[in-house]
Amino acid sequence: MEPPPLSSLQEEGEEGPTVEDSSVFSAAVVPPRPATHHSLHKYAPLDWSAYFDEERRVAIPDTDNVFNAYTTGSEGPVVFCLHGGGYSGLSFALAASQMKDKARVVAMDLRGHGKSTTNDDLDLSIETLTNDVIAVIRTMYGDLPPAIILVGHSMGGSVAIHVAARKEIRNLHGLVVVDVVEGTAMASLVHMQKILANRAQHFPSIEKAIEWSVKGGPLRNIESARVSIPSTLKYDESRECYTYRTPLEQTEKYWKGWYEGLSDKFLSCPVQKILLLAGTDRLDSWFTICRALTIGQMQGKFQMVVIRHTGHAIQMYLKNLHRTY
């Protein structure tokens, strides 16, 4: 929900689109060029099974809700991962493949995302998302779960904070929030509809969607894009093209609720806490806007780690993210 500027996304050795021609990969604007063998291979989808051991369908009792979850690892605490708006559980694929020797990793598709199906996929209110995660954890582990560390990116970071603040998950040992804080998130919401509208909306193939996400969209890591982007798409039969699985532009009424009051909730969570921030260019404004968190950090209430040379979705860039966890 807070993509980096297009200028930072150009792949090394290639010329990326400018802001003015950022729709160059939209099938509705420019007729697709025949894909070359090189581009088909370079941007071909990667299967989830190269990163996770199992894909589970978690049916919530007495409801029509079935949540998709990717799992890997057999020992250690459960690192329970929640993705950002418009992403999927596979945004944690690279990180999971490196954590699985020391932890059990679970990366679920939230409501309205990936392969999860619910009675109302457009209800992305923070209350509903929080209830969903608690229900999934209880369904998977019962009343006596193993040690759990919640990890949430962007919108998923807000959900993780709300889950921890509810104090309903037994044996919750830690909370890792990835690149989201109340002040900057709230300030960015006025721009989100424009950002969403400026995305390429339709793709003639999955390979083209992956290519756009690397050259003109929110990702620069090709491997992350190849494994995660397909799960964020659906095929539009009427237009004979691929489009986004999650219509974020239709969920605007819930955006404010994701982030309002988040700083106080984060600080009140009675577990060890880490806040991961991408880059250093926003730190001055961050300290100005997020006074409560600044004071909280000075008081030692949480650890803040700044990760340089990544985009907003930090977990999709780093090879050594497991060391932070």
Side-chain angles (χ1 to χ4, degrees):
M1 290 294 293
E2 300 171 85
L6 291 177
S7 60
S8 68
L9 299 169
Q10 183 174 325
E11 184 180 355
E12 185 176 354
E14 297 189 20
E15 293 185 2
T18 64
V19 173
E20 288 75 18
D21 61 16
S22 61
S23 61
V24 67
F25 292 103
S26 171
V29 178
V30 179
R33 292 178 295 177
T36 64
H37 176 75
H38 173 71
S39 66
L40 284 176
H41 175 74
K42 184 175 183 180
Y43 300 107
L46 295 174
D47 194 77
W48 63 266
S49 61
Y51 305 88
F52 292 94
D53 298 330
E54 183 183 6
E55 182 181 43
R56 292 185 57 179
R57 303 289 288 168
V58 183
I60 307 303
D62 303 320
T63 75
D64 297 324
N65 302 334
V66 181
F67 292 94
N68 192 66
Y70 301 93
T71 67
T72 188
S74 58
E75 298 180 352
V78 171
V79 179
F80 202 93
C81 304
L82 306 175
H83 61 79
Y87 294 82
S88 78
L90 291 178
S91 65
F92 287 92
L94 269 64
S97 67
Q98 296 182 50
M99 289 189 287
K100 65 182 180 181
D101 291 337
K102 296 183 179 180
R104 289 170 282 180
V105 184
V106 178
M108 70 174 283
D109 292 336
L110 293 171
R111 175 180 293 252
H113 293 76
K115 296 181 181 179
S116 291
T117 58
T118 69
N119 57 355
D120 185 356
D121 280 354
L122 287 178
D123 180 6
L124 298 188
S125 67
I126 190 61
E127 294 82 7
T128 297
L129 294 173
T130 300
N131 290 335
D132 287 344
V133 172
I134 292 174
V136 169
I137 293 176
R138 285 178 173 168
T139 302
M140 292 182 69
Y141 302 109
D143 293 330
L144 296 173
I148 293 177
I149 301 171
L150 283 176
V151 180
H153 164 238
S154 196
M155 179 193 76
S158 171
V159 178
I161 291 171
H162 279 79
V163 171
R166 287 262 291 266
K167 303 177 184 178
E168 296 182 21
I169 300 300
R170 293 187 179 183
N171 217 13
L172 182 61
H173 279 231
L175 173 64
V176 180
V177 177
V178 182
D179 209 43
V180 58
V181 291
E182 178 182 355
T184 53
M186 292 291 287
S188 72
L189 291 183
V190 295
H191 307 293
M192 286 314 303
Q193 283 290 4
K194 182 177 181 180
I195 291 173
L196 293 173
N198 285 339
R199 298 184 299 177
Q201 300 295 320
H202 309 99
F203 307 94
S205 67
I206 292 178
E207 288 82 2
K208 278 295 183 183
I210 294 171
E211 183 178 3
W212 180 85
S213 74
V214 173
K215 292 183 175 180
L219 282 177
R220 192 174 183 178
N221 186 310
I222 294 179
E223 184 180 0
S224 287
R226 291 173 67 189
V227 67
S228 68
I229 292 300
S231 62
T232 68
L233 304 172
K234 65 179 181 180
Y235 189 71
D236 187 329
E237 296 283 354
S238 62
R239 298 190 179 188
E240 297 184 339
C241 65
Y242 290 89
T243 188
Y244 298 108
R245 156 75 168 95
T246 309
L248 288 174
E249 65 281 356
Q250 298 179 32
T251 67
E252 182 176 6
K253 62 182 178 181
Y254 302 121
W255 296 351
K256 185 177 179 180
W258 294 346
Y259 306 119
E260 195 170 43
L262 202 59
S263 295
D264 289 338
K265 280 189 178 293
F266 176 68
L267 293 172
S268 70
C269 292
V271 294
Q272 295 293 314
K273 298 178 285 292
I274 297 177
L275 174 62
L276 301 185
L277 294 179
T280 58
D281 57 319
R282 294 179 294 170
L283 282 187
D284 288 342
S285 60
W286 183 87
F287 282 120
T288 300
I289 296 174
C290 308
R291 185 173 182 271
L293 287 185
T294 302
I295 295 173
Q297 188 208 9
M298 294 173 65
Q299 294 174 339
K301 293 184 177 180
F302 68 94
Q303 180 183 359
M304 185 177 75
V305 180
V306 178
I307 310 294
R308 303 182 64 183
H309 310 302
T310 70
H312 172 50
I314 297 174
Q315 76 278 10
M316 302 180 76
Y317 289 78
L318 294 185
K319 289 294 185 181
N320 295 321
L321 191 60
H322 62 294
R323 295 179 182 175
T324 304
Y325 292 169

